[in-house]
Tab-separated table of all heavy atoms in Angstrom:
chain	number	residue	atom	x	y	z
B	657	GLY	N	-16.235	-35.673	7.095
B	657	GLY	CA	-16.418	-36.779	6.155
B	657	GLY	C	-15.477	-37.945	6.420
B	657	GLY	O	-15.454	-38.924	5.664
B	658	GLU	N	-14.721	-37.851	7.509
B	658	GLU	CA	-13.744	-38.882	7.834
B	658	GLU	C	-14.397	-40.036	8.591
B	658	GLU	O	-15.148	-39.795	9.542
B	658	GLU	CB	-12.682	-38.271	8.763
B	658	GLU	CG	-11.275	-38.248	8.221
B	658	GLU	CD	-10.349	-37.558	9.220
B	658	GLU	OE1	-10.805	-36.613	9.911
B	658	GLU	OE2	-9.204	-37.972	9.319
B	659	GLY	N	-14.080	-41.236	8.176
B	659	GLY	CA	-14.484	-42.418	8.948
B	659	GLY	C	-15.987	-42.559	9.149
B	659	GLY	O	-16.430	-43.091	10.162
B	660	GLY	N	-16.769	-42.081	8.177
B	660	GLY	CA	-18.217	-42.240	8.270
B	660	GLY	C	-18.849	-41.559	9.464
B	660	GLY	O	-19.889	-41.982	9.978
B	661	LYS	N	-18.214	-40.480	9.943
B	661	LYS	CA	-18.703	-39.801	11.154
B	661	LYS	C	-20.117	-39.254	11.024
B	661	LYS	O	-20.866	-39.227	12.000
B	661	LYS	CB	-17.759	-38.642	11.527
B	661	LYS	CG	-16.468	-39.087	12.193
B	661	LYS	CD	-15.619	-37.868	12.579
B	661	LYS	CE	-14.284	-38.290	13.165
B	661	LYS	NZ	-13.426	-37.123	13.480
B	662	PHE	N	-20.454	-38.769	9.813
B	662	PHE	CA	-21.803	-38.207	9.645
B	662	PHE	C	-22.858	-39.241	10.003
B	662	PHE	O	-23.838	-38.944	10.690
B	662	PHE	CB	-22.041	-37.738	8.197
B	662	PHE	CG	-21.134	-36.620	7.750
B	662	PHE	CD1	-20.494	-36.672	6.517
B	662	PHE	CD2	-20.935	-35.502	8.556
B	662	PHE	CE1	-19.678	-35.633	6.096
B	662	PHE	CE2	-20.111	-34.460	8.139
B	662	PHE	CZ	-19.478	-34.528	6.902
B	663	ASP	N	-22.642	-40.468	9.527
B	663	ASP	CA	-23.653	-41.503	9.727
B	663	ASP	C	-23.654	-42.070	11.143
B	663	ASP	O	-24.524	-42.847	11.513
B	663	ASP	CB	-23.470	-42.616	8.688
B	663	ASP	CG	-23.850	-42.120	7.294
B	663	ASP	OD1	-24.942	-41.526	7.162
B	663	ASP	OD2	-23.042	-42.283	6.356
B	664	ILE	N	-22.648	-41.688	11.919
B	664	ILE	CA	-22.662	-42.067	13.336
B	664	ILE	C	-23.327	-40.942	14.148
B	664	ILE	O	-24.191	-41.173	14.992
B	664	ILE	CB	-21.224	-42.312	13.860
B	664	ILE	CG1	-20.536	-43.412	13.033
B	664	ILE	CG2	-21.246	-42.670	15.352
B	664	ILE	CD1	-19.030	-43.534	13.280
B	665	ALA	N	-22.921	-39.699	13.844
B	665	ALA	CA	-23.379	-38.563	14.661
B	665	ALA	C	-24.804	-38.129	14.325
B	665	ALA	O	-25.599	-37.852	15.234
B	665	ALA	CB	-22.428	-37.378	14.474
B	666	PHE	N	-25.115	-38.034	13.039
B	666	PHE	CA	-26.405	-37.445	12.665
B	666	PHE	C	-27.617	-38.228	13.174
B	666	PHE	O	-28.608	-37.605	13.595
B	666	PHE	CB	-26.477	-37.221	11.154
B	666	PHE	CG	-25.663	-36.032	10.664
B	666	PHE	CD1	-25.567	-35.738	9.303
B	666	PHE	CD2	-24.996	-35.187	11.553
B	666	PHE	CE1	-24.826	-34.644	8.847
B	666	PHE	CE2	-24.251	-34.098	11.106
B	666	PHE	CZ	-24.165	-33.827	9.751
B	667	PRO	N	-27.577	-39.564	13.172
B	667	PRO	CA	-28.749	-40.281	13.730
B	667	PRO	C	-28.969	-39.926	15.204
B	667	PRO	O	-30.112	-39.874	15.666
B	667	PRO	CB	-28.369	-41.750	13.565
B	667	PRO	CG	-27.336	-41.774	12.500
B	667	PRO	CD	-26.589	-40.478	12.600
B	668	VAL	N	-27.884	-39.693	15.927
B	668	VAL	CA	-28.021	-39.310	17.342
B	668	VAL	C	-28.630	-37.913	17.438
B	668	VAL	O	-29.567	-37.671	18.203
B	668	VAL	CB	-26.641	-39.362	18.053
B	668	VAL	CG1	-26.768	-38.876	19.497
B	668	VAL	CG2	-26.064	-40.785	17.988
B	669	LEU	N	-28.077	-36.987	16.629
B	669	LEU	CA	-28.566	-35.602	16.658
B	669	LEU	C	-30.003	-35.497	16.161
B	669	LEU	O	-30.681	-34.497	16.415
B	669	LEU	CB	-27.644	-34.710	15.814
B	669	LEU	CG	-26.256	-34.476	16.442
B	669	LEU	CD1	-25.278	-33.924	15.418
B	669	LEU	CD2	-26.360	-33.535	17.644
Side-chain angles (χ1 to χ4, degrees):
Chain B
E658 242 177 326
K661 283 182 184 177
F662 297 134
D663 290 311
I664 302 168
F666 285 177
V668 176
L669 289 164

